[in-house]
């Protein structure tokens, strides 16, 4: 049934991917990376578009390739568990393309607008992909849980920057989107053409998420041949 949800709609969720102990272990590594701007320099940005030195608080911190900074992350069970699900959903040739952290700081109340992840990626002949979005805190509407709109096709919509240096957005908001609240350790899976969104964090607590993206081995090799390793200045397809 879950596999059918993904096939029909482009997304699904699991109430429990990780145990509480696994979540606690990930939080420790996560918080170390969040606090150390020197260690994460060059792989870190604020998806709200507020990337100036005068900005005291990062509203939506994105850290690309955290496992490159902290290789011990790759030893965590979450990477193996998510890979098994990715292969179950899309085939045995699925492999980890990249990982990232996205944190919404308390009381920043900054939304991530509706978008498709494929707008950030180069065009590939095999378009299979799946992102596993793992909640490391309980997530709900008020602190920025994921919203999804069922995917009808694999067309890429026109995207623009809502703010220079910030996240991409489309011009309209889907009317059939719905929130997916989760307990810490739960996760969602979505493909690159599925529209998704999250509200800002208006609560006193953090909203920490680990995202693991999977695609076929051959497409990862093709990306690397074309210089795409998910670092550097953010590019997008128009």
């Amino acid at each position: 049934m879950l596999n059918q949800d993904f096939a029909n709609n482009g997304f699904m969720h699991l109430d429990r991917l990780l145990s509480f102990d696994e979540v606690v272990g990930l939080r420790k590594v996560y918080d170390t990376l969040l606090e150390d701007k020197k260690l994460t320099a060059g792989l870190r940005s604020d998806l709200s578009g507020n990337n100036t030195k005068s900005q005291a608080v990062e509203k939506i911190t994105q850290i690309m390739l955290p496992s490159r900074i902290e290789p011990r992350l790759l030893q965590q069970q979450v990477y193996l568990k998510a890979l098994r699900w990715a292969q179950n959903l899309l085939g045995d040739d699925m492999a980890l393309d990249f990982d990232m952290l996205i944190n919404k700081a308390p009381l920043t109340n900054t939304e991530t607008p509706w978008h498709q992840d494929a707008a950030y990626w180069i065009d590939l002949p095999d378009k299979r992909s799946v992102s596993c979005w793992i909640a490391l805190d309980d997530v709900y509407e008020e602190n920025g849980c994921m919203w999804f709109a069922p995917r009808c096709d694999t067309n890429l919509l026109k995207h623009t920057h809502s703010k220079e240096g910030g996240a991409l957005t489309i011009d309209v908001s889907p009317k059939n989107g719905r929130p997916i609240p989760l307990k810490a350790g739960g996760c969602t899976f979505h493909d690159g053409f599925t529209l998704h969104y999250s509200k800002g964090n208006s609560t006193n607590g953090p909203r920490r998420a680990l995202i693991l993206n999977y695609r076929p081995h051959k497409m990862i090799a093709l990306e690397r041949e074309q210089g795409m390793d998910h670092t550097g200045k953010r590019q997008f397809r128009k």
Side-chain angles (χ1 to χ4, degrees), residues 16-28 76-78 81 136 185:
R16 176 66 59 187
L17 178 70
L18 303 178
S19 69
F20 179 74
D21 287 343
E22 288 171 321
V23 169
V24 170
L26 285 169
R27 284 174 179 170
K28 292 178 181 178
Q76 299 287 328
Q77 281 295 307
V78 62
K81 291 180 178 181
L136 299 186

Side-chain angles (χ1 to χ4, degrees), residues 31-54:
D31 290 345
T32 297
L33 293 172
L34 272 183
E35 293 166 8
D36 196 331
K37 292 185 178 181
K38 184 176 180 180
L39 183 65
T40 56
L43 296 171
R44 185 185 192 114
S45 63
D46 186 344
L47 290 177
S48 73
N50 292 312
N51 290 304
T52 63
K53 292 182 180 180
S54 62

Side-chain angles (χ1 to χ4, degrees), residues 24-227:
V24 170
L26 285 169
R27 284 174 179 170
K28 292 178 181 178
V29 180
Y30 196 110
D31 290 345
T32 297
L33 293 172
L34 272 183
E35 293 166 8
D36 196 331
K37 292 185 178 181
K38 184 176 180 180
L39 183 65
T40 56
L43 296 171
R44 185 185 192 114
S45 63
D46 186 344
L47 290 177
S48 73
N50 292 312
N51 290 304
T52 63
K53 292 182 180 180
S54 62
Q55 182 69 25
V57 176
E58 292 175 341
K59 296 180 178 181
I60 309 176
T61 303
Q62 180 189 58
I63 300 174
M64 296 299 300
L65 306 180
S67 61
R68 177 182 294 184
I69 306 167
E70 285 287 356
R72 58 183 167 144
L73 274 172
L74 294 173
Q75 307 306 315
Q76 299 287 328
Q77 281 295 307
V78 62
Y79 284 76
L80 179 59
K81 291 180 178 181
L83 174 62
R84 286 173 176 165
W85 269 99
Q87 292 174 335
N88 184 44
L89 291 170
L90 290 175
D92 291 341
D93 59 342
M94 301 301 284
L96 181 68
D97 185 8
F98 65 90
D99 54 354
M100 64 179 170
L101 311 181
I102 297 182
N103 176 69
K104 291 200 171 190
L107 301 175
T108 49
N109 203 22
T110 304
E111 71 174 17
T112 302
W114 285 101
H115 69 283
Q116 297 163 294
D117 288 342
Y120 289 102
W121 306 334
I122 61 175
D123 193 12
L124 295 168
D126 187 336
K127 303 188 186 308
R128 286 178 295 153
S129 69
V130 59
S131 292
C132 181
W133 191 99
I134 302 139
L136 299 186
D137 299 287
D138 293 351
V139 293
Y140 39 92
E141 290 189 50
E142 291 78 11
N143 72 347
C145 72
M146 293 285 274
W147 288 59
F148 294 100
R151 173 181 48 69
C152 299
D153 51 44
T154 56
N155 290 329
L156 185 63
L157 302 177
K158 181 180 179 180
H159 287 68
T160 58
H161 282 296
S162 55
K163 183 182 290 188
E164 185 61 32
L168 295 179
T169 183
I170 57 172
D171 292 335
V172 296
S173 298
K175 295 184 179 179
N176 58 347
R178 64 182 180 93
I180 308 292
L182 296 167
K183 295 292 187 181
C187 72
T188 61
F189 291 89
H190 68 276
D191 79 10
F193 294 91
T194 302
L195 284 165
H196 55 288
Y197 155 90
S198 63
K199 292 184 178 181
N201 184 0
S202 59
T203 72
N204 290 315
R207 196 234 60 182
R208 294 165 288 191
L210 169 66
I211 299 94
L212 308 179
N213 177 270
Y214 298 90
R215 70 179 71 248
H217 284 281
K218 289 183 178 179
M219 294 303 99
I220 296 173
L222 185 57
E223 281 185 320
R224 301 300 182 266
E225 289 172 9
Q226 298 185 40

